[in-house]
Amino acid sequence: MPISCTDQTTTISPNSTCYPVANPLESFWQTETHPLSDHRSTSELPLETDIVIIGAGFAGISTAHHLVKEFKGELGTTPRPLPSITILEARAACSGATGRNGGHLRPDFYGHIPKYIERSGPRAGAEIAEFEIANLRALKKFIEEENIDCDLTLTRSIDVWCNKQAAENAKAIYDSMRAHKFDYMDDVIFYTGDKAEGICGVKGAVACASFSAGTLWPFKLVMHLLHKLLESKSVNLQTHTPVQSVRSDEAGGFFVDTPRGQVHTRKVIYANNAYVAGTLPEYAKNIIPCKGICCRIAVPDGIRPPLLNNSYINRTIDHTLSYLVPRSDGSIVVGGAAAKFKPFREQWYDNVDDSCLIDAAAEYYYNYMQRTYRGWEDTGAKVDTIWTGVMGYSYDSNPHIGQVPSKEGQFIIAGFNGHGMPVIWLAAQELASMVSRGVSFEETKIPRLFKTSAQRINRAKLGREEDGDIIGSGNLPTTNP
């Protein structure tokens, strides 16, 4: 069983310089090793490259993929010579949040949408839901066309409320979304009363809702993309190469400094999510590294567990939220429980140490299936793998995507609030057009609230922690639900 922070002989404090630790806990998704995990395309760093991408997770690898497609003319663009692209990763490929999440491709239909509507109007809120739904469809189409083995499943995702007041609030939000006449809400079904528990199978459920979503094995998807990229010969991957700084030269280019030397480039893309403030200090209060917890639950050999066809977001009577993804082998991937560790800020807030668990929630998922789902009482289901991950939570709950303000030639795609899987694929495609063809943010299909800007940066710099969404509104770490 993984150690907890308090089990270690030395105290580990949050890394204020925002660099990942060297020895993260192993997640279930990474138990199958991959030959490219520690790959370096060349023994030495290239001295020159056209584009540097910092981060080899879903955001960085997807952006590289779409850049290659852009230059090949496969996205409706004019074919051009492929640029040289160097991907710098501080640890192993896909060892960060992407390789440690819950495997959920779950669009936000109504969860945070009312907050965005209140701030910026109905259309701004609807843009986010519609973009995430389009992201699910586009990624499903791509995975099927490429025949990628990553356990993609299109399913229904079920929201469950066991607290009566919370259920009533949820129903009011559902009704308000319907009142806006958003087309996508036609996919949502809401149940209350006696029907709820029978439909969702969760003990004590007083309301539930369902809509279309997906699940997959994220590590396998990213490593497939990476393999294809390296075949193109225009992409150079350098793992275990943390970026220490990015410096401008006199000709409009940049020197990217690492412990192994420097790389000179014309453009830099920051796709290192929770760690972005280590090289872009202006984002220090905008994107905060926050830890979450996730685990795999399995039944003993020879036991057939009750069938679960849906993914879930469960909320207990005491408001503890968990996300859950069933797998074809009968095991369950489940995480969250942020309400249990919220009071212990030092264990999760501004903390990059994914080598140890969050003590306050380390045992929460023991017997979770037995106490939560009807029919699981005698299955012997137990946690067989448990891990933690570091996510990038933004001050206002929205990702930061686009050109870094006042830094021409530098771009960012980070701050996904534990919700990157439903956003990144299409966001990376649109960012690639900005990088390769100079397309403005406003010309892309990215929701307007995702645009990084000086205004957003300054709002977080000047604001109080308790006024932001991370602390102030209960937008707690859920490890990519």
Side-chain angles (χ1 to χ4, degrees):
M1 186 63 66
I3 60 175
S4 68
C5 289
T6 54
D7 289 332
Q8 300 186 69
T9 56
T10 58
T11 301
I12 298 177
S13 59
N15 187 342
S16 60
T17 54
C18 259
Y19 290 100
V21 300
N23 55 332
L25 295 172
E26 182 181 73
S27 79
F28 163 72
W29 308 115
Q30 298 165 311
T31 52
E32 294 185 16
T33 59
H34 195 283
L36 295 179
S37 290
D38 302 307
H39 181 77
R40 288 178 177 172
S41 300
T42 54
S43 59
E44 303 294 331
L45 292 179
L47 297 176
E48 292 278 345
T49 190
D50 293 319
I51 301 170
V52 163
I53 297 176
I54 304 173
F58 193 28
I61 299 303
S62 295
T63 302
H65 167 86
H66 289 301
L67 280 169
V68 171
K69 293 285 188 181
E70 276 268 338
F71 281 91
K72 285 184 174 181
E74 296 177 5
L75 297 175
T77 53
T78 302
R80 291 166 287 164
L82 285 176
S84 55
I85 300 172
T86 299
I87 302 173
L88 302 177
E89 168 56 50
R91 300 192 302 204
C94 199
S95 62
T98 305
R100 319 181 72 75
N101 67 33
H104 223 167
L105 271 172
R106 185 181 191 270
D108 183 0
F109 275 53
Y110 45 72
H112 293 295
I113 303 302
K115 174 169 57 183
Y116 306 141
I117 290 174
E118 180 180 352
R119 291 174 179 175
S120 303
R123 185 86 298 265
E127 283 175 0
I128 294 174
E130 292 163 0
F131 184 81
E132 295 185 7
I133 293 166
N135 181 87
L136 169 61
R137 293 170 178 168
L139 192 52
K140 175 181 180 292
K141 180 180 179 182
F142 173 77
I143 290 171
E144 290 176 343
E145 288 177 348
E146 295 287 315
N147 196 27
I148 301 173
D149 176 19
C150 62
D151 290 5
L152 174 69
T153 301
L154 190 65
T155 185
R156 300 290 288 183
S157 188
I158 299 187
D159 272 317
V160 181
W161 293 269
C162 294
N163 180 286
K164 183 178 180 181
Q165 184 60 57
E168 291 175 356
N169 293 341
K171 181 60 164 60
I173 290 173
Y174 167 79
D175 290 340
S176 70
M177 295 295 98
R178 295 285 298 181
H180 284 297
K181 300 187 184 302
F182 297 145
D183 289 343
Y184 71 83
M185 286 297 294
D186 290 342
D187 187 44
V188 184
I189 306 175
F190 203 101
Y191 304 94
T192 58
D194 295 339
K195 292 182 180 179
E197 185 172 331
I199 288 170
C200 68
V202 174
K203 299 174 183 178
V206 295
C208 65
S210 76
F211 56 86
S212 298
T215 66
L216 79 169
W217 192 311
F219 180 75
K220 286 186 175 181
L221 170 62
V222 172
M223 299 310 284
H224 176 94
L225 291 171
L226 181 57
H227 174 75
K228 291 293 186 181
L229 281 171
L230 296 178
E231 283 185 338
S232 74
K233 305 301 183 183
S234 67
V235 175
N236 186 314
L237 172 66
Q238 295 289 327
T239 61
H240 303 285
T241 308
V243 173
Q244 298 169 312
S245 65
V246 177
R247 298 176 290 116
S248 300
D249 65 14
E250 296 179 353
F254 307 97
F255 291 106
V256 181
D257 298 310
T258 81
R260 299 175 54 223
Q262 68 179 21
V263 182
H264 185 258
T265 186
R266 295 185 298 109
K267 295 180 180 180
V268 180
I269 300 171
Y270 298 86
N272 48 342
N273 201 28
Y275 309 102
V276 72
T279 42
L280 284 175
E282 59 264 50
Y283 287 90
K285 290 188 175 182
N286 282 268
I287 299 176
I288 306 294
C290 296
K291 287 175 61 173
I293 196 165
C294 194
C295 67
R296 177 181 182 258
I297 296 174
V299 300
D301 291 342
I303 300 295
R304 185 182 296 275
L307 177 65
L308 286 182
N309 286 325
N310 309 291
S311 69
Y312 284 83
I313 297 287
N314 293 329
R315 300 164 182 85
T316 64
I317 196 168
D318 67 352
H319 306 289
T320 301
L321 181 151
S322 296
Y323 57 87
L324 182 149
V325 170
R327 296 191 29 76
S328 59
D329 62 4
S331 67
I332 304 294
V333 174
V334 59
K340 299 301 181 186
F341 59 77
K342 181 182 180 180
F344 307 95
R345 281 186 44 170
E346 73 284 354
Q347 295 188 25
W348 64 274
Y349 182 80
D350 200 16
N351 188 326
V352 298
D353 187 7
D354 55 5
S355 69
C356 59
L357 296 176
I358 301 172
D359 293 337
E363 297 182 1
Y364 178 76
Y365 289 108
Y366 293 177
N367 297 315
Y368 178 79
M369 297 304 294
Q370 289 91 328
R371 70 176 186 264
T372 304
Y373 284 89
R374 297 191 327 197
W376 283 76
E377 294 83 357
D378 299 321
T379 60
K382 63 180 181 179
V383 173
D384 71 354
T385 315
I386 186 167
W387 63 93
T388 187
V390 181
M391 299 160 286
Y393 269 73
S394 71
Y395 188 78
D396 59 9
S397 296
N398 295 131
H400 282 264
I401 302 173
Q403 181 179 304
V404 178
S406 303
K407 291 187 175 180
E408 187 174 353
Q410 299 189 49
F411 301 84
I412 185 172
I413 177 168
F416 293 104
N417 303 282
H419 192 68
M421 296 303 294
V423 173
I424 286 172
W425 182 250
L426 284 188
Q429 179 175 308
E430 298 297 315
L431 183 68
S433 70
M434 299 171 68
V435 175
S436 67
R437 292 184 280 122
V439 172
S440 70
F441 183 94
E442 288 70 22
E443 294 176 278
T444 71
K445 299 176 182 177
I446 304 174
R448 70 190 76 173
L449 295 181
F450 292 3
K451 181 181 180 180
T452 193
S453 67
Q455 180 184 16
R456 289 181 67 194
I457 290 172
N458 290 332
R459 186 188 304 127
K461 279 184 177 181
L462 300 174
R464 302 179 305 167
E465 284 184 353
E466 55 267 34
D467 292 332
D469 286 348
I470 310 171
I471 299 296
S473 70
N475 185 17
L476 295 170
T478 51
T479 319
N480 290 27

